[in-house]
Amino acid sequence: MPSAIPHVLIVGGGPSGLVCALCLIHNGVSVRIIEKSTEPRLGQRGAGIMPRTLEIFNSFGCVDEVVKRAIPPPLTRRYELPKGTHPIGEFDMSPHVEPTPSCPYTNIVLLGQSHVENILRDTLAKLQCQVETGTELVSFEQTETGVNVHLMRHGPDGSEGTPERRSYDWMIGADGARGIVRKMSGFSFLGETRTIENHVVGDVYVEGLSQKYWHMWGDASNMLVSFRPTETPGLFSFVIAGHKVNHALLSSNEEALRKCFAENTGSKTALKFKEIPWVNHYIPNIRMVETFQKGRVFLAGDSAHVHSFTGGQGINTGIQDSYNLGWKLALVQRGLASPSILQTYSEERIPVIREMLDRTTRILTRTFTEKASESWNKANGLLQLGINYRWSSVVLDERKRAEDAEFSDFDFGDEDEEEVCDVIDAYGGGTEGILRAGDRAPDATTLVDLSRRTATHRLFSIFSPAHHTVLIFSKALDQCPAIVRTLKELPTDVVRSVVLLRQGQGIPAYCQGVTSVFEDWDGHAHDAYGIKDEWAVVVIRPDGVVGAIVGGAEGLRSYFSKIFLQMRR
């Protein structure tokens, strides 16, 4: 269990900060998480939750609550004008895909950010950690051994409160694009502000409008009004976009906003626009930092990168930042890993963020030049299941090395024309369909626990954000004794070893010492991990990424020497 004294200060109580706190606490590191605001966050905001994020929620045990409260993306319906009542087209922004044994979450779900935050806060509270609202970071300074902070604790009504000075070993800025941590630390925030593609966004209660569809009138190249149903009955998330929109007026004057709704949804719709809980003039900023770390200060989420909301990547990308950082920082804080591993946070995430900014910006540009259905249909790869870290310095893929060595024996032409170039494909759109180290770790169903023949499991119930998992497949059973000896050099709470047998295989005597033995009843695990040859030992990192694909104990030692100080000779 974490100690009572917090070692890490997390600034910002949004999804990125909450997930970072969950990661650290699961890994035995105490945290303090503060939020400047005293009021709940309003608005749907980042409502699109991608499958990869659902997998992360699953690892914390809160995915069922998210899925229960969320809704699927509705069919989008466009209407003719000027009457506005006759549908002229329908399209599905995210067609339903059936789950598979390797991928239990295959579809986007929609849930307002305020509801997501409440679920994450409840999950965090079960671990005896509460978000301290009304607590503001005023200033801070770094030292060689920590971060000294000056806080202000405001009253429940936001009134001036009590100053507080504390010291922490580390600080994580998850306080958003306008937050203080990035600015005071001197991080660059390069990019552009797109003043052409302005939007007015918000939530409104509407009478007379079906919640079965996502409704659109007009087109963003001129004037678009969009109403998306939410998980709250009668409440719609709206977007007004176009070159003719008076954004400043509509975002500040509810009467003008309702008039705009009425004038641009047709003369015959008879819709009634009621309470408007939240409205904002949204100007797309497309920016990112050059590094996620400066000394003992880290950034995650919107504090490190901002982009167009087109594509629905925002909340998901920030959560994945935190999921990548949490386990690494925990190992360093516990003295199990060198601080140098923290450099891989930027190394792994920066290429992903660059690709994300590029994709969402392309969608934004097409939204203002093409029909909505056409711009979305070209926006593939947004489910984030292909996001990978194949280029990372701390992943190891002996299978890929062996394939490359075999491939290099062939001569395909003039050597002067040959060029060695490992292109980073951060979103996985161009991968060859073969699992590599650095990829998302697949799930697998119908695993039978051989210690209790009636119990079935899936890999996702075995993986954990608190430890590495070493999968030893049937072709590497003879390596078990050496693997067990190697893993004994590490603390028992940071690694688990799991043997996966083919159906009908007996348990060899030399499997003694592993954490558990499962029978891969339907072969889903062997298939998902491409186990066909001697490269049959796979390491899964705490963040659900394949850390290594190796042949046995020697490769395992090579991988873990990149992670743990105990393995370094």
Side-chain angles (χ1 to χ4, degrees):
M1 291 294 293
S3 66
I5 301 175
H7 294 289
V8 181
L9 176 66
I10 300 173
V11 183
S16 299
L18 291 165
V19 167
C20 204
L22 286 167
C23 282
L24 288 165
I25 293 175
H26 272 279
N27 279 275
V29 175
S30 59
V31 306
R32 181 182 184 185
I33 178 169
I34 63 173
E35 168 60 45
K36 176 181 177 181
S37 176
T38 58
E39 298 295 330
R41 210 178 311 272
L42 295 176
Q44 285 282 298
R45 301 178 190 268
I49 303 175
M50 299 297 164
R52 181 61 183 133
T53 302
L54 293 175
E55 293 182 354
I56 293 173
F57 290 162
N58 176 74
S59 74
F60 294 128
C62 60
V63 70
D64 290 342
E65 184 65 22
V66 171
V67 172
K68 182 176 72 175
R69 299 181 64 175
I71 63 173
L75 193 67
T76 302
R77 173 176 281 184
R78 298 175 61 241
Y79 298 89
E80 55 79 31
L81 290 172
K83 292 184 178 180
T85 57
H86 178 66
I88 57 174
E90 293 182 351
F91 66 95
D92 198 339
M93 286 193 181
S94 182
H96 180 80
V97 177
E98 289 297 320
T100 67
S102 65
C103 191
Y105 309 106
T106 52
N107 299 287
I108 303 171
V109 298
L110 303 176
L111 184 64
Q113 184 170 324
S114 60
H115 291 157
V116 173
E117 289 181 9
N118 287 338
I119 292 171
L120 291 175
R121 289 189 185 201
D122 289 344
T123 305
L124 189 61
K126 294 175 183 177
L127 300 175
Q128 311 305 313
C129 180
Q130 303 280 348
V131 178
E132 297 181 35
T133 58
T135 304
E136 178 184 4
L137 175 67
V138 178
S139 63
F140 63 90
E141 62 178 10
Q142 287 200 61
T143 68
E144 290 186 1
T145 58
V147 184
N148 301 322
V149 303
H150 174 204
L151 306 175
M152 183 65 69
R153 304 187 70 174
H154 300 283
D157 58 354
S159 59
E160 193 70 19
T162 306
E164 178 185 354
R165 296 187 181 275
R166 288 289 179 90
S167 296
Y168 299 90
D169 295 331
W170 312 90
M171 184 168 70
I172 299 168
D175 49 344
R178 299 178 182 178
I180 187 176
V181 176
R182 186 192 69 248
K183 295 176 181 178
M184 287 198 65
S185 298
F187 287 89
S188 63
F189 205 42
L190 305 178
E192 62 175 324
T193 299
R194 298 283 287 262
T195 57
I196 297 176
E197 303 97 341
N198 290 355
H199 304 71
V200 178
V201 298
D203 299 338
V204 59
Y205 284 91
V206 185
E207 286 186 8
L209 195 59
S210 169
Q211 290 202 241
K212 183 179 178 181
Y213 297 100
W214 186 333
H215 308 271
M216 290 186 180
W217 291 264
D219 199 274
S221 59
N222 183 29
M223 167 68 86
L224 170 72
V225 176
S226 163
F227 292 102
R228 175 184 61 77
T230 72
E231 66 277 8
T232 303
L235 182 67
F236 289 79
S237 176
F238 70 82
V239 176
I240 302 174
H243 300 303
K244 296 183 178 181
V245 177
N246 188 335
H247 306 88
L249 174 65
L250 297 181
S251 60
S252 60
N253 187 312
E254 287 195 6
E255 182 179 348
L257 183 57
R258 289 190 179 91
K259 182 179 178 182
C260 177
F261 290 153
E263 290 179 346
N264 292 281
T265 55
S267 60
K268 301 295 184 181
T269 55
L271 301 176
K272 293 182 180 180
F273 303 101
K274 300 292 188 175
E275 181 186 356
I276 303 174
W278 173 74
V279 62
N280 186 42
H281 176 198
Y282 174 77
I283 302 175
N285 274 290
I286 303 160
R287 300 179 182 277
M288 65 179 291
V289 294
E290 294 180 326
T291 178
F292 281 58
Q293 176 188 6
K294 283 202 171 185
R296 290 179 170 267
V297 175
F298 302 87
L299 301 179
D302 288 353
S303 64
H305 43 79
V306 291
H307 56 91
S308 164
F309 62 75
T310 49
Q313 302 294 280
I315 185 175
N316 303 278
T317 306
I319 285 172
Q320 289 176 43
D321 289 344
S322 296
Y323 209 52
N324 184 288
L325 172 62
W327 68 275
K328 298 172 182 176
L329 183 58
L331 289 181
V332 174
Q333 176 61 31
R334 294 177 59 191
L336 300 177
S338 166
S340 62
I341 196 176
L342 298 174
Q343 297 172 10
T344 67
Y345 176 41
S346 293
E347 177 191 349
E348 294 181 347
R349 292 303 295 166
I350 288 291
V352 174
I353 303 307
R354 286 200 185 104
E355 177 66 16
M356 183 269 292
L357 261 63
D358 182 61
R359 287 177 179 240
T360 54
T361 303
R362 289 201 305 267
I363 300 171
L364 174 67
T365 300
R366 288 197 296 263
T367 299
F368 278 79
T369 57
E370 302 174 2
K371 294 181 179 180
S373 58
E374 295 174 354
S375 64
W376 184 263
N377 286 339
K378 296 176 182 177
N380 56 4
L382 297 178
L383 302 183
Q384 300 190 330
L385 293 170
I387 288 177
N388 64 90
Y389 309 130
R390 292 186 178 189
W391 59 89
S392 173
S393 60
V394 290
V395 304
L396 175 62
D397 198 327
E398 291 185 341
R399 180 165 67 188
K400 178 68 163 56
R401 286 182 182 177
E403 292 172 0
D404 289 346
E406 182 178 357
F407 189 75
S408 66
D409 291 338
F410 294 89
D411 183 5
F412 291 96
D414 191 344
E415 293 183 1
D416 294 336
E417 296 181 0
E418 294 181 7
E419 181 180 359
V420 178
C421 181
D422 293 326
V423 178
I424 290 179
D425 182 14
Y427 262 61
T431 57
E432 66 276 35
I434 301 173
L435 188 73
R436 300 296 188 194
D439 288 354
R440 161 195 169 270
D443 194 9
T445 56
T446 59
L447 303 179
V448 179
D449 186 344
L450 293 186
S451 65
R452 295 176 296 168
R453 294 291 306 189
T454 58
T456 59
H457 296 258
R458 62 189 313 144
L459 283 179
F460 276 9
S461 67
I462 299 169
F463 301 158
S464 168
H467 61 70
H468 279 77
T469 305
V470 179
L471 302 179
I472 307 166
F473 288 89
S474 54
K475 284 185 174 292
L477 290 181
D478 60 334
Q479 289 287 321
C480 275
I483 289 173
V484 169
R485 288 195 299 270
T486 300
L487 296 183
K488 280 184 177 179
E489 299 179 33
L490 297 173
T492 56
D493 64 336
V494 298
V495 63
R496 299 285 188 274
S497 54
V498 177
V499 168
L500 294 169
L501 302 172
R502 289 282 192 181
Q503 185 183 28
Q505 269 188 296
I507 305 178
Y510 46 75
C511 281
Q512 292 182 359
V514 299
T515 307
S516 52
V517 180
F518 292 91
E519 190 172 56
D520 186 13
W521 187 259
D522 292 319
H524 293 316
H526 282 76
D527 291 342
Y529 286 82
I531 306 301
K532 300 177 181 178
D533 46 32
E534 69 269 30
W535 315 111
V537 179
V538 182
V539 183
I540 312 303
R541 304 189 331 186
D543 58 354
V545 170
V546 177
I549 300 175
V550 297
E554 185 177 345
L556 205 59
R557 177 177 291 279
S558 295
Y559 168 73
F560 280 127
S561 69
K562 298 171 180 282
I563 308 297
F564 295 105
L565 290 172
Q566 290 97 319
M567 281 290 177
R568 297 187 178 183
R569 294 172 176 172

